[in-house]
Amino acid sequence: MTRINTNVSSLVAQNRLQTSNNDLQTSLTRLSTGLRINSGSDDPAGLLASEALRSEITGLTKSISNTQRASQIISTADSALGQVSNLLNDIKGLVVEAGNSGALSDDEIAANQLQIDSSLEAINRIAQTTTFQGRKLLDGSQDFVSTVGSVSSVKDASIDQAKLGKTGKIDVSVDITAAAEKASVSISSDAFNAADVDPDATSNVATKTIDVTLGGETVTITGNGDFSSLTITEDNALGATATAVNTAGAIEITFDGDSNPSTVSDVLTALNNIEGIVATSDGPGTGTVVTGDAAASANTTDGADVGLKVTGADLDDITINYTAGTDADVVADFDADSNTLTVALGTTTSNNSLSNIKSKIDALDDLSSEIVDDAGDALTGFDDLTVSTGDLPAEATGTATKAGLKDDLVFQLNGADGAETFNFCAGTSLEQIKAAINLVSDSTGVSASGTSELTLSSDAYGSDALVNVDVISEGDDGAFESSLSAARATGVDIKASVNGVEASGQGNSFSINTATLDLALTVDEGSSTDFTFSITGGGATFQLGPGVNSQQQASLGIGSVSTGQLGGVSGRLYELGSGQAKSLTSDVSGAADVINEVISKVAQTRGRLGSFQSTTLESNLVSLNETKANLQEAESTIRDADFAQESANLTRAQILVQSGTNVLSLANQNPQNVLSLLR
């Protein structure tokens, strides 16, 4: 059908040409921008996804920048701390040199002190001038603010990391379940002879008593030699003259047949005729020993071994002479040159009681005594025991016992700080041994104490503390090795928990390292006191992730390195300055302790910062870059144009536009064919 009002072919050609023009325009736009999505109409869902990815990429890009900035800050602080370490090492060298006081003049030591003062000033200057874009790093402004300083039992504290969260505060509760302990080895008193003589041998006035009732009187039989029993026999029940013998440690009284009964005085005479036996009576009684069945009812009672134990300062051995005195009372005299104690018994028998003799000995300078049994243990109830010259030996010497070690001894003592070999001869006193060990305690780390027994204790606390006693040789009579409570002992570390987290203990120090809190504390030696404190702010906070929250932030404490703050349990660094408590002229040893602690603390700070830089910052930087690359790839896949495809689309659209234009031209010519019909 031929029409002129409506050119359908032209309309169709126009529509197709419009579509081709749109395709051409889209291809040109994508090729010129490089983006597949240039407006929301291009791909609404893709636009949403790509914009979200772009947001994340922007956050990651800034996080990478933040991490790089944080690393630069840490590098700046570490560089300054390196200079502080160099200065501290110089100071240590000067302190060690000053310890050589025998070879250095006072002027040289003074020159060393001036160098130390200059180094201390330099350290303070570094603490104040180390900055990054105007922010000071080592003056303490980057440290955490806490109330731990108000806890009296805390000697040192270091808060390395804390996430304060939304509240901006962390309450810290410390529960000490077991205090730290020193290593300790004890040597019982069995290893030593007391500073007196053996009560069995040289200091006894009596070693055995037996009471027997005879003739209505109580007869006390006392002997220097041990005897086990009293036996009464009779040839005639009507009694006779009494005789007494000491046979194999048993006293035997025999009444021979006689028409005259024996009296108590007869028995006493018979007993006192035995060597080493003294008999006394509480008399008067009936006077008759044997009448009728009296012998059969004779009563015997074993008493205790009893004697006087004499002690004295630095008393190696002693000779005791008991003599018959000429005065009514007991007279005691001690010759310190010959270590001889002379006891002259009183002519009045009642004065010769053990308590009275004891009081006379106690009144002498440097001597004291007590009533003991033959094992040396104190006895009571024998104060009224009366001593008679009788057949008592004029000189009581026995085997003299030398005070102190029982025999020669060589042993090596090991502590945490070193070892020392000791060589002692028999008789070395406990005080002398303690003095020798304590003299070198600074090089062994072990100190000695005790009065009746020797206790060897480490100066330090914890599992690193050590006391090891290796007996190299000991005489046959020695008992040092057998008296050791243990040959080796170590200390016990403190056990504590922080906010319910079990802490790692070492000596009196303990620490925890969690995702939210990293701190180390040192308490007083052997302290078991629980305490609490709060962390209320401070610290250097670094934004390490795209999300602004505590999980993507790191808070690091950088303490002050000024001389007033650097230090530990031994003291502060400023104390090494001129006129201070630990200057070279005041306390070189104390200065060495302080400088060692400070060097260790600065090294730990550098190590902590280095660890944060290498493990946290650098690993975070790698992770952020990789994540960013992956997100950029995903965003590119969604939004970027494929140039190969868009080039093909452009060529196609160009051809279609040209073809459509030609077709539209032809379609517009079709109505002109109507004119040929009218001609």
Side-chain angles (χ1 to χ4, degrees), residues 239-251:
T241 302
T243 60
V245 295
N246 185 354
T247 304
I251 300 297

Side-chain angles (χ1 to χ4, degrees), residues 51 182 228 234-235 257 316 434 445 494 546 596 632 638 656:
E51 286 298 325
K182 294 182 177 182
S228 60
E234 58 184 90
D235 290 338
D316 289 339
K434 288 194 299 182
I494 191 171
N596 286 335
Q632 286 178 324
I638 295 172
L656 289 176

